[in-house]
Amino acid sequence: MSRPKRRGRVHTAGGLLAVAALVVALLPTTEASAHPGPEPHPPTRPNEFTVEVLSSPADQISGGDARISIEVPKGVSFRRVRVTLDGADVTDVFERQRRRRLEGVVTGLPVGDSELVVTTTRKRRWHDWWDKGRRPEAKLTLTNHPVSGPMFSGPQQQPFLCSTDGHRGNAELGPAIDENCATDTVVSFVYRTTGGAWQPYDPAGARPVDMATTTTMDGDTVDYVVRWERGTINRFIYSIAVLSPDGHDPAAPDLSAWNERLIYYFQGGVGIGHYQGNPSRSRMLYDHGLGLGYAVAYSTGTKTGEHYNLELGGETAVMVKDRFVTAYGDPDYTVGVGGSGGGIQQYVYAQNHHGLIDAAIPQYSYPDMITQTIHIGDCELLERWFDLNVLAGDARWTDWELRQAIEGLNATDAVENEAALVQPYLPMGATECMNAWRGLSPLTLNPNFGTAPGISPEDQVSTEWTHFGDLINIYGTAADGFASNTWDNVGVQYGLQALTDGVITVDEFLALNTMAGSWKNEPDMVQEGCPFIFELCGTEDPDVWSLRNQTFDPADPTAIAPRKEADPGAIEAAYESGMVNHGDIEIPMIDWRNYLERELDMHNSHQSFAARQRLLDWDGDASNQVIWFTDVEFQGERFDQTPLAFEVIDEWMRNIERRPWRGVAKNKPARAVDSCFDASGELIHAGTDAWSGILDDGPAGACTQQFPTYETSRIVAGGPITGDVFKCALQPVDEAVEHGVYGAVAFDDAQHERLHAIFPDGVCDYAHGDARRPAGL
C-alpha cells in the first residue's frame, strides 16, 4: 500500500489523538494499566519502552485487530526488539517508522484479554539507577470484543430490526446473514462525474469520459476515484471512504492521495431505536471532504434519527474508528462534523471519549439531547392551555408574542400555521413549539407511540417506545416496570417572567399554573391519535396536544392538574453516564449554524451559548469554542460556512502540532474567533465582542444585535440559560415572596392562598441548581 510522508500527530488538550489512544510508559517488568481515560501519561525515563494502542483504548478493541505503536529506548537496537502476543512472536508485523518508533497491526485477537509483551533479545548493562541485570520489558493487556458488540453499552436492545432492502441499498449492501443483522463487507470503487454525481467505477475498464478530477489539500490533482468500504459494526451499517486514484485492490487501500486527516460524519434526527438504520449516501460519500483528500467515516449507529442512546453511539464511533485506524492508518487528527443530533454527538463524545475526535464542527447544535426534553416537554402543556382559552372565546391568546412570552421560544405571524387544518381557530402564524416540536414529546415520552420497519404486531405492542426505554441500561427500571424517567416540573412557575414584566396578570399566571399539569406516568398512557397517526384523522377529532396523555382534566378545569416528578435515580444516571454535557471538553470547536429563528426552525440559536456557558461553568474557560452564525434570507437558500470551518480547523490543528506547549486557546488562528456572516457568507463582524450581551451584562455586540436569540419555557420561569436543571430545588412560597421572586407584583389574600395550593411543596429556586445533580458534575 502506498502512503505519503508521515507528519507528526496532533495532540489536543482534551486527550490523546487516535481514538483516546492509551499510552503506557513502563518501567522494566511493570504490568501496564489498560484504563481508557485521558489521564496524564506516567512519567518516563530513558531506556524504557512506551507502548501505545493507536486504534482504540486498550480495553476497547473490536474485531480482533489493533494497531500498536512502540517507542524504542535509546541504546536499544531495533534488531533486538522482540514482541509477543500471548507468547507467540509477532515481531515481524512491526515496521520502523520515524525516530525510534515501531508500528504494526496485530491480528487474530480472541474475544477477551490477550497479553502483549515487548522486550529485548539480550541483556545489556544499564545505568546504576536501573535494576542491574534486567532487560526493559513492557506488558499490556489488550481486551478484544466481537465486532457485533457490545463493548460497554450493556445488553443489546431487543427487538432489533434489520434494515430493509431499500435502506441497505443506499450502501449497496446485500442481505443480512445472521441474527445481528450482519452483512458481508463490501469494497468497491466509485468516481465523481463532471456533472457532480457518483457512478460505479470499473478499474478494469477504460477511464470514463465524464470522470472529474480533484485537487487535495496537499495540492495534488488526481482522478476523483474513491475506495468505498461498508459493512456492519456493532449491528449498524458503517462506511469508510477515501480517495483512491492509483490503486484499486480491494485488499490493499491506496493511500497515495489521503491527506492523513479523518472526518467522522455524525448524522442527526430523532429516533427511539430498535432499527439498524437507513444510511445517508451524501454523508457516506461526503464530496467536500473526499475531494480535499480526507477519509470519511460514517455509521447508522451514530445517526440520532435511528436512536438517541449516546452511550451506544459513542461505543459505535469508537469501534468504527478502530476499524479505520487498524485497516488504513493513524490519522494526524480526526475532525467531527454533523448537524443537529450530529452536533450533539460531537459535544457528548468529546466529553465522554477523550481523543475520539480531536476537533469538531457541530452544526445547528444543542449541548446534548436529554436536557432538551426538559423544556420541549412543556410545549404541548402550554399550547393546550392557550388553545383551550381561545376555544372558550378568549382571543387574547391568538397573539403570538404573548405566547412567546410564556414559552420563551420564538413565535411570529409571518409563517404559515402548519396545523391550520386541525386548528382553524388560530390566525396566520405559529410558535416554535407548534412549528418545530409538535409530536416529539409523545415520541420521547409515550411508550405506545413509535415503530420500526418490519416489526411484528406482537413486538409492536410489547415494546416500550420511549427515549428512556431506549436507554434503559442507563436509566434503569422504575417501580412501575417502565424505564426510569428524568422529566419533572414540580415547582416550575410557568410564565413567571411574563408576570413580573407585566405581560400577564396575576389571575392569568395562577390559571396557567393551575391547569398546566404534566404528563401521565407511562402505565397510564394510551396510543396517540390524529394528527400523529394520520389514518385516524377521518374517524376522530384531532388531539394536537396529546391531551389524552396529560394530567389535566377538561371536565374540571378549575382543579389543580398534578405535576410530574422524576423517577428516583434517573437524573443522577443521566449525569453520571455522560448523557448530560457538563462542559468537560477541551478540543477546538467551531459551532456554526444558519440563523433560522425567523422560520421557527427547531434549531434555536441560543443553544450555542447554552453550550458555551456549560464550558464556563465546568472550569471557567470556553476559549476552545468559537461560535459562527450565517444569515438566511427568509425561507431562502442557506449558505454553507462548513468549508471555511474545515480550513480554520486545519490551521488550528497545525498550529497545535507545531507548538503543542501553547495548548488549544493560544494556538487559535486569527479566523478562529466569534463571527457572524451575511446570507451570502460574507463576514459581518468578527471579534471577541461579537456576541457580548448574551452571557454577560455588556452592551450588545454587533452579532448579538444582528441575530437576536430567544429563550425557553424554563428560562422565562427563572432557570439558567444552560437549560440543565431537571429537578429544581424548592423554596416555600412565602420565602419566594420575601426574596423578591415576584418583583413588584402583589397578591391579594385569595391569590396568595391559591399560589400555596398550586405549589404546596414550594416553587423553584434555580439559584441552587439541579437538586439531583451529583457532586462534582
Side-chain angles (χ1 to χ4, degrees):
M1 121 179 51
S2 57
R3 171 169 195 152
K5 183 178 179 180
R6 184 82 184 154
R7 288 183 287 267
R9 291 185 298 117
V10 184
H11 292 262
T12 61
L16 303 179
L17 198 73
V19 200
L22 175 68
V23 173
V24 188
L26 297 157
L27 294 175
T29 66
T30 301
E31 182 82 21
S33 167
H35 194 285
E39 287 78 4
H41 300 181
T44 60
R45 298 178 181 177
N47 303 313
E48 298 173 4
F49 287 113
T50 302
V51 182
E52 182 179 359
V53 182
L54 299 176
S55 46
S56 71
D59 63 348
Q60 294 174 17
I61 296 166
S62 58
D65 306 330
R67 185 175 290 274
I68 309 291
S69 169
I70 302 169
E71 294 287 342
V72 179
K74 293 180 180 179
V76 174
S77 169
F78 280 84
R79 293 176 299 173
R80 301 298 182 185
V81 176
R82 183 170 183 265
V83 187
T84 61
L85 181 65
D86 290 336
D89 194 319
V90 293
T91 308
D92 288 346
V93 306
F94 288 87
E95 297 180 357
R96 184 170 181 175
Q97 305 292 319
R98 56 184 172 81
R99 303 189 187 94
R100 299 195 57 78
R101 182 169 172 267
L102 294 169
E103 184 178 317
V105 175
V106 294
T107 62
L109 295 171
V111 172
D113 292 345
S114 297
E115 185 177 62
L116 185 80
V117 179
V118 185
T119 186
T120 58
T121 57
R122 64 171 182 166
K123 296 181 180 179
R124 298 181 58 88
R125 182 178 297 278
W126 299 97
H127 297 291
D128 291 339
W129 55 266
W130 203 276
D131 291 339
K132 292 184 178 180
R134 299 176 66 188
R135 293 176 292 166
E137 182 179 86
K139 295 181 180 179
L140 178 61
T141 299
L142 308 178
T143 305
N144 176 53
H145 305 264
V147 74
S148 58
M151 292 197 300
F152 52 77
S153 65
Q156 292 180 318
Q157 187 179 65
Q158 297 295 337
F160 186 79
L161 284 300
C162 302
S163 295
T164 64
D165 292 344
H167 289 171
R168 281 196 309 274
N170 288 337
E172 298 181 9
L173 286 172
I177 58 177
D178 65 18
E179 69 279 3
N180 288 316
C181 300
T183 65
D184 290 328
T185 301
V186 176
V187 176
S188 63
F189 297 88
V190 295
Y191 73 95
R192 191 75 170 171
T193 71
T194 52
W198 293 107
Q199 292 292 336
Y201 176 69
D202 179 5
R207 183 184 187 277
V209 295
D210 62 345
M211 180 185 287
T213 60
T214 188
T215 301
T216 70
M217 292 177 69
D218 295 329
D220 299 324
T221 299
V222 298
D223 282 343
Y224 201 162
V225 179
V226 169
R227 182 185 199 271
W228 187 21
E229 173 189 332
R230 57 265 189 222
T232 53
I233 290 176
N234 211 18
R235 303 200 298 179
F236 294 100
I237 294 171
Y238 83 96
S239 166
I240 292 172
V242 64
L243 274 178
S244 183
D246 296 334
H248 308 111
D249 181 355
D254 163 31
L255 301 179
S256 61
W258 180 35
N259 66 19
E260 300 193 52
R261 304 157 176 91
L262 174 65
I263 291 172
Y264 198 116
Y265 209 123
F266 299 96
Q267 190 173 357
V270 181
I272 302 298
H274 299 282
Y275 186 59
Q276 186 179 31
N278 179 12
S280 165
R281 181 72 71 97
S282 64
R283 293 170 177 85
M284 290 186 288
L285 298 174
Y286 178 43
D287 174 41
H288 177 75
L290 290 170
L292 291 173
Y294 290 90
V296 178
Y298 170 89
S299 170
T300 57
T302 50
K303 174 186 175 183
T304 56
E306 306 302 349
H307 69 89
Y308 246 113
N309 184 338
L310 300 188
E311 185 169 62
L312 175 61
E315 175 182 76
T316 303
V318 169
M319 295 175 76
V320 170
K321 189 173 176 184
D322 180 17
R323 168 61 189 169
F324 176 83
V325 175
T326 299
Y328 293 78
D330 183 25
D332 287 350
Y333 65 82
T334 301
V335 54
V337 72
S340 191
I344 286 174
Q345 290 181 82
Q346 292 172 72
Y347 273 107
V348 172
Y349 302 158
Q351 170 183 269
N352 296 345
H353 305 283
H354 289 199
L356 172 62
I357 55 175
D358 304 291
I361 306 174
Q363 309 157 319
Y364 306 97
S365 70
Y366 309 86
D368 56 42
M369 180 273 180
I370 185 57
T371 58
Q372 301 312 303
T373 66
I374 298 172
H375 65 274
I376 296 309
D378 295 336
C379 274
E380 299 307 347
L381 307 179
L382 301 175
E383 285 290 328
R384 179 256 302 157
W385 186 78
F386 299 144
D387 287 351
L388 292 185
N389 274 288
V390 173
L391 289 169
D394 188 353
R396 171 169 160 77
W397 298 101
T398 62
D399 183 334
W400 300 114
E401 289 187 8
L402 187 58
R403 293 195 182 202
Q404 180 199 321
I406 293 172
E407 290 181 345
L409 299 167
N410 194 21
T412 178
D413 60 4
V415 302
E416 293 285 346
N417 178 0
E418 295 184 357
L421 292 177
V422 291
Q423 293 179 283
Y425 50 85
L426 291 178
M428 169 77 171
T431 66
E432 187 185 314
C433 276
M434 294 168 56
N435 197 58
W437 296 101
R438 180 145 282 168
L440 287 181
S441 290
L443 183 63
T444 302
L445 299 170
N446 186 347
N448 308 290
F449 183 56
T451 191
I455 196 164
S456 69
E458 295 78 15
D459 282 341
Q460 175 68 47
V461 171
S462 62
T463 298
E464 181 180 353
W465 297 100
T466 68
H467 163 74
F468 302 95
D470 193 6
L471 278 72
I472 198 166
N473 291 346
I474 291 174
Y475 296 119
T477 304
D480 59 16
F482 289 82
S484 295
N485 191 313
T486 62
W487 206 81
D488 190 300
N489 69 341
V490 174
V492 176
Q493 300 189 87
Y494 294 115
L496 177 61
Q497 184 176 316
L499 172 67
T500 59
D501 288 346
V503 175
I504 61 175
T505 67
V506 170
D507 286 338
E508 288 172 331
F509 172 74
L510 293 173
L512 168 61
N513 283 285
T514 294
M515 299 168 65
S518 191
W519 297 97
K520 293 178 180 178
N521 291 325
E522 289 85 348
D524 301 322
M525 284 189 164
V526 297
Q527 182 58 279
E528 301 297 327
C530 173
F532 306 119
I533 300 177
F534 182 75
E535 292 77 10
L536 299 177
C537 288
T539 61
E540 64 174 42
D541 292 333
D543 178 8
V544 295
W545 322 286
S546 189
L547 172 60
R548 67 192 68 195
N549 288 313
Q550 295 176 13
T551 59
F552 170 72
D553 182 3
D556 187 6
T558 62
I560 297 171
R563 300 290 181 97
K564 181 177 176 63
E565 188 169 10
D567 289 312
I571 295 170
E572 293 90 334
Y575 277 104
E576 291 170 350
S577 65
M579 297 303 97
V580 177
N581 167 14
H582 50 258
D584 182 14
I585 302 168
E586 301 292 342
I587 65 173
M589 307 185 83
I590 297 179
D591 185 306
W592 171 75
R593 68 181 67 238
N594 284 121
Y595 182 75
L596 302 175
E597 295 287 2
R598 304 180 194 94
E599 302 177 18
L600 304 183
D601 187 271
M602 64 171 20
H603 303 101
N604 46 82
S605 54
H606 89 275
Q607 300 291 349
S608 296
F609 303 98
R612 173 165 291 181
Q613 188 60 55
R614 295 193 196 188
L615 294 172
L616 291 169
D617 289 346
W618 177 254
D619 62 5
D621 181 26
S623 57
N624 62 305
Q625 185 216 37
V626 172
I627 296 175
W628 290 357
F629 283 11
T630 302
D631 207 354
V632 174
E633 297 294 340
F634 183 61
Q635 296 183 340
E637 293 295 322
R638 301 180 183 183
F639 185 89
D640 187 3
Q641 219 79 45
T642 309
L644 178 62
F646 275 112
E647 285 184 28
V648 175
I649 284 290
D650 189 65
E651 186 179 356
W652 199 343
M653 297 302 290
R654 292 299 159 210
N655 288 347
I656 294 172
E657 177 187 0
R658 289 190 295 267
R659 301 182 295 270
W661 60 89
R662 297 185 63 180
V664 173
K666 292 183 179 180
N667 273 305
K668 291 168 75 170
R671 294 183 294 175
V673 64
D674 288 346
S675 305
C676 54
F677 305 84
D678 67 18
S680 64
E682 294 298 316
L683 182 67
I684 296 173
H685 181 80
T688 57
D689 63 342
W691 302 110
S692 62
I694 295 179
L695 297 180
D696 57 44
D697 295 327
C703 297
T704 306
Q705 296 177 50
Q706 185 79 17
F707 300 99
T709 58
Y710 296 87
E711 298 173 303
T712 71
S713 55
R714 298 296 174 105
I715 296 174
V716 297
I721 191 174
T722 49
D724 55 355
V725 177
F726 294 92
K727 183 173 186 60
C728 63
L730 299 176
Q731 59 181 325
V733 166
D734 291 341
E735 286 187 14
V737 173
E738 182 181 345
H739 294 159
V741 168
Y742 306 99
V745 175
F747 298 88
D748 63 28
D749 289 345
Q751 292 167 338
H752 192 268
E753 183 178 347
R754 187 64 174 171
L755 191 63
H756 271 281
I758 297 169
F759 298 108
D761 298 319
V763 297
C764 285
D765 181 2
Y766 285 104
H768 290 89
D770 196 309
R772 298 278 178 80
R773 183 169 184 158
L777 291 179

